[in-house]
Amino acid sequence: MREILKRRRRLLSRRNAGRPELISAALAFATQWQWPVLPGVAPDPQGRARCGCPDPECTVPGAHPFDPGLLAATTDARMVRWWWTNRPAAPIILATGGSAPCAVSLPAPAAAHALDLLDRRGMRLGPVIASPTRWAVLVRPYSMEQLGELLYAKDFVPGSLRFHGEGGYVALPPSETGQGAVRWERAPLPGSASPWVPDVEAVVDAVVDALTRTGVSAPEL
């Protein structure tokens, strides 16, 4: 059994070769920006599109916490270093909400179109995370009450929008998940301070307006 585990770790380590070290990125998120992180479930080594968790129908393979659970997310450098020393290829999972940013995500094709329109309008956005299937715009922490009031005031909100608030999570670059590589579509500006992020109201208003006015479809994914 030990030899099997060693071979699996060597395989996962080779997959991580040639990309920025995940441990360095995880430490930077936790210590410089004070974002609570934890390792996600790595994709199944025998099939990238499958997840290493027990759920055979997992919809976010390799891109979610499992062991440890989400409540274990921390900014403690020693814990982060221990996790990624033992699991060097584990995706980096951000526990959203609290003192950390939240996120609004939507399918990648619609997100690319919406961001292009927002750029033309001169709207300022913070970091944007991109995976092959969905993009996530980081926003300031919000409460469920605040989100509920915001959505209630809208005549229409695309069902494909997802909100990652308190108790939620997103995978951070340079993670590798079962759906592919996670990267920065809009990278944070360099520096030690935590990146600036906009209010959730501004992002939702702008994204919904961009999608509805142009007739861009945002299919459920």
Side-chain angles (χ1 to χ4, degrees), residues 40-170:
V41 181
D44 189 328
Q46 298 183 11
R48 266 178 46 90
R50 298 196 308 238
C51 190
C53 75
D55 184 0
E57 299 180 358
C58 181
T59 57
V60 283
H64 67 90
F66 174 66
D67 182 19
L70 187 63
L71 292 178
T74 184
T75 60
D76 182 77
R78 292 173 298 177
M79 192 72 248
V80 171
R81 189 180 300 278
W82 186 87
W83 275 332
W84 272 274
T85 297
N86 288 277
R87 299 167 59 181
I92 304 170
I93 303 298
L94 167 68
T96 54
S99 59
C102 294
V104 177
S105 71
L106 64 162
H113 194 87
L115 262 63
D116 181 60
L117 290 175
L118 298 183
D119 284 343
R120 294 182 203 172
R121 298 177 185 179
M123 178 177 175
R124 183 186 179 191
L125 289 175
V128 178
I129 302 166
S131 76
T133 57
R134 296 186 71 85
W135 291 10
V137 182
L138 297 186
V139 297
R140 291 178 186 170
Y142 57 78
S143 65
M144 293 304 296
E145 292 78 12
Q146 182 183 3
L147 179 62
E149 292 176 2
L150 171 63
L151 298 182
Y152 182 78
K154 290 285 181 191
D155 293 328
F156 170 74
V157 176
S160 57
L161 284 183
R162 294 178 187 167
F163 300 91
H164 310 260
E166 186 77 31
Y169 58 87
V170 293

